[in-house]
Amino acid sequence: MAWTTLGFPAEFVFGSATAAHQVEGNNCHNDWWAHERLPGTNAKEPSGVACDHYRRYAEDFGLLRALGQRAHRLSLEWSRIEPEEGEIQAAEIDHYRRVLGRLRELGIEPWVTLHHFTLPRWFVAQGAFTQARNVERFRRFVERAAAAYGDLVQRWCTINEPTIHAELGYRWGEFPPRQRDAAVAVEVLCNLFRAHVAAAEALRERARLRPQVGMTLALQAIEPCRPESQADCELASRRDAETNGVSLEALRTGVFRYPERAAVEISGLREASQFVGVQYYTRMRYDVRTGGVAPLDPARPRTQMGWEVYPEGFGPLLRRAAATGLPVYVTENGIACDDDRLRVRFIADHLAVVDEVRRAGADVRGYFYWSAMDNFEWNEGFRPKFGLIAVDRTTLTRAPRPSAYFFGEIADTHRLTREMVDTYTR
Ligand code: BGC
């Protein structure tokens, strides 16, 4: 790596992210809670109390502020606010007002996600996002959120990683409801774009502060295993379209165009967003001989998730996101590892890419590390350690890792130097 010092403008946003079900604990009215307990489930362990963040949020936010962070991305748990259809829990509405108010008091800007994988069980019983008519039910929830928090929140992320929710839940059978039906997955994905539009409209109508709305996309570097094989290239290009291209194009043009499917024009989609969130973790290589993902390159570092560390793939995706014409925020980027020095290098290497694409003209305005603290990593349970802050599984004690101070120094000074990387990896 050639750089020695990177500088970011004062308005560049640095923060970290979490999601309700992964940190709060006892989210017992959603589909994941049920999935974690089903006989024969593929979930390694239940979420249980998670990080008990539901009760410890004030202490956690105090720690983030002490660590130099001025922005925090978190999600509202719909199933707490509306555990049964129409039964709105005033106490839970108030809870999130206290949560968001606490962030504001500390001078930490809240970035609020409205749908981060989990859904109320009653909504799933009605078909969730497999049914276009259910978008209206989601809109009603967003209207309530906008009315309740629209004076505290300006940054709203509507749908987190629509392709992951659709593909893992409905195509590959990994996430609840564990279906394996590619056509249903495409319907869900399309409806999530409709839900994004509905949410953006509800926010514009009801929120007091002028809302800035975006969708946060899981973008992956996708390459053929053998670049000389036309069949591998075709497979990779198809997977690239499904994983990255369809969503980016939908935001750019307002048309949902899935390979081999009729194009669907989604009214209001082009106007719905004020930014696009990019969430980048890794690269996948495709090989027709296995019909899918190729084995990892053994020469490259691998995370606890079994993912390859591949900062080289980040720049092209940031540029593609910027080509939507929307300002880009990196709303997630992170690594699960035991050796915290890998995290420091991971952050530095990915911020170097952000700096490079910015200097080449891409409008990237912020970076959120995933995750603020070790948490419930969906089917993988608590083993992967993504956190800047370690959470002891027995006592739930929080302990910032060196990378938390490293990231805090970047957030504070808007500078990153080679010496800082050396100091924190010693
Ligand atoms: C999700 C997070 C998840 C992270 C690491 C993203 O797919 O938004 O909920 O924990 O990646 O897997």
Side-chain angles (χ1 to χ4, degrees):
M1 277 174 301
W3 60 274
T4 52
T5 303
L6 307 177
F8 295 88
E11 62 280 9
F12 192 89
V13 178
F14 283 106
S16 57
T18 61
H21 190 70
Q22 295 180 268
V23 292
E24 285 182 349
N26 295 318
N27 279 333
C28 56
H29 299 293
N30 71 33
D31 53 345
W32 266 87
W33 184 269
H35 162 80
E36 292 155 24
R37 277 159 189 76
L38 283 177
T41 180
N42 58 335
K44 295 212 166 67
E45 56 186 318
S47 52
V49 297
C51 303
D52 195 25
H53 178 70
Y54 185 80
R55 294 192 306 141
R56 299 178 193 222
Y57 68 87
E59 169 202 335
D60 288 337
F61 296 159
L63 189 50
L64 293 179
R65 184 63 196 90
L67 289 166
Q69 297 188 29
R70 293 300 205 124
H72 183 61
R73 177 171 170 245
L74 72 170
S75 74
L76 302 177
E77 178 62 33
W78 180 9
S79 68
R80 277 188 183 275
I81 293 174
E82 193 173 3
E84 295 297 336
E85 187 168 18
E87 292 183 13
I88 306 304
Q89 305 298 300
E92 300 291 352
I93 298 253
D94 291 350
H95 168 78
Y96 286 113
R97 266 203 79 81
R98 288 192 296 274
V99 167
L100 298 165
R102 178 77 187 133
L103 285 171
R104 281 258 171 250
E105 275 162 28
L106 287 164
I108 301 178
E109 160 125 71
W111 286 59
V112 172
T113 308
L114 291 158
H115 169 46
H116 196 124
F117 296 165
T118 56
L119 291 168
R121 286 219 284 273
W122 61 262
F123 184 74
V124 174
Q126 298 184 29
F129 290 111
T130 64
Q131 308 297 319
R133 62 180 147 78
N134 284 340
V135 166
E136 195 43 41
R137 295 189 160 89
F138 177 66
R139 175 209 283 266
R140 285 204 283 273
F141 161 64
V142 181
E143 282 171 359
R144 282 196 185 97
Y149 313 122
D151 58 333
L152 295 171
V153 181
Q154 191 162 24
R155 303 291 187 161
W156 299 90
C157 304
T158 55
I159 308 289
N160 182 67
E161 302 194 339
T163 53
I164 300 290
H165 183 73
E167 288 212 327
L168 295 192
Y170 299 87
R171 180 175 181 180
W172 307 120
E174 294 286 327
F175 280 12
R178 298 193 69 185
Q179 283 185 31
R180 288 173 183 272
D181 186 328
V184 173
V186 178
E187 261 324 294
V188 169
L189 186 58
C190 187
N191 287 334
L192 289 172
F193 280 90
R194 295 186 168 111
H196 170 64
V197 175
E201 285 171 3
L203 289 164
R204 278 203 302 271
E205 281 161 21
R206 300 284 171 101
R208 190 117 71 78
L209 295 175
R210 213 166 99 135
Q212 297 283 306
V213 181
M215 217 179 195
T216 58
L217 304 180
L219 300 185
Q220 261 175 23
I222 292 187
E223 292 174 6
C225 182
R226 298 161 300 161
E228 68 285 3
S229 147
Q230 197 188 333
D232 281 7
C233 289
E234 277 165 14
L235 177 59
S237 124
R238 159 127 197 173
R239 284 299 291 142
D240 179 74
E242 293 168 351
T243 310
N244 307 313
V246 169
S247 301
L248 290 170
E249 192 194 332
L251 293 182
R252 186 173 62 82
T253 62
V255 180
F256 180 83
R257 208 183 303 272
Y258 203 86
E260 289 153 36
R261 306 269 301 203
V264 182
E265 185 156 354
I266 299 181
S267 153
L269 182 53
R270 274 193 66 186
E271 302 76 45
S273 315
Q274 285 72 52
F275 67 89
V276 54
V278 170
Q279 316 204 147
Y280 177 74
Y281 289 90
T282 191
R283 159 175 85 160
M284 299 282 174
R285 293 185 310 152
Y286 283 85
D287 189 333
V288 279
R289 293 168 301 181
T290 62
V293 178
L296 296 189
D297 179 347
R300 289 201 154 260
R302 188 179 292 207
T303 77
Q304 285 174 331
M305 298 294 284
W307 297 343
E308 183 184 55
V309 176
Y310 193 64
E312 295 90 329
F314 192 24
L317 291 168
L318 286 173
R319 279 191 278 269
R320 285 170 72 184
T324 58
L326 296 166
V328 177
Y329 290 86
V330 178
T331 39
E332 286 183 28
N333 175 238
I335 179 172
C337 53
D338 274 329
D339 180 352
D340 191 55
R341 291 170 302 181
L342 295 178
R343 190 175 344 269
V344 170
R345 287 195 202 103
F346 184 96
I347 293 171
D349 291 345
H350 287 79
L351 281 177
V353 174
V354 171
D355 174 73
E356 188 186 315
V357 300
R358 276 177 47 80
R359 275 190 292 106
D363 188 9
V364 185
R365 300 189 184 178
Y367 175 95
F368 288 80
Y369 178 79
W370 181 273
S371 174
M373 66 189 98
D374 292 342
N375 61 40
F376 178 71
E377 178 50 34
W378 307 111
N379 282 329
E380 299 310 310
F382 292 99
R383 195 188 67 87
K385 308 296 182 205
F386 274 99
L388 295 170
I389 300 169
V391 178
D392 182 288
R393 284 314 309 153
T394 316
T395 60
L396 299 181
T397 307
R398 277 65 166 150
R401 297 193 164 102
S403 56
Y405 297 102
F406 168 73
F407 188 62
E409 204 174 323
I410 302 170
D412 243 1
T413 61
H414 283 67
R415 279 177 88 240
L416 168 56
T417 65
R418 176 66 53 200
E419 291 93 283
M420 285 162 65
V421 178
D422 293 343
T423 306
Y424 285 97
T425 49
R426 216 161 266 151

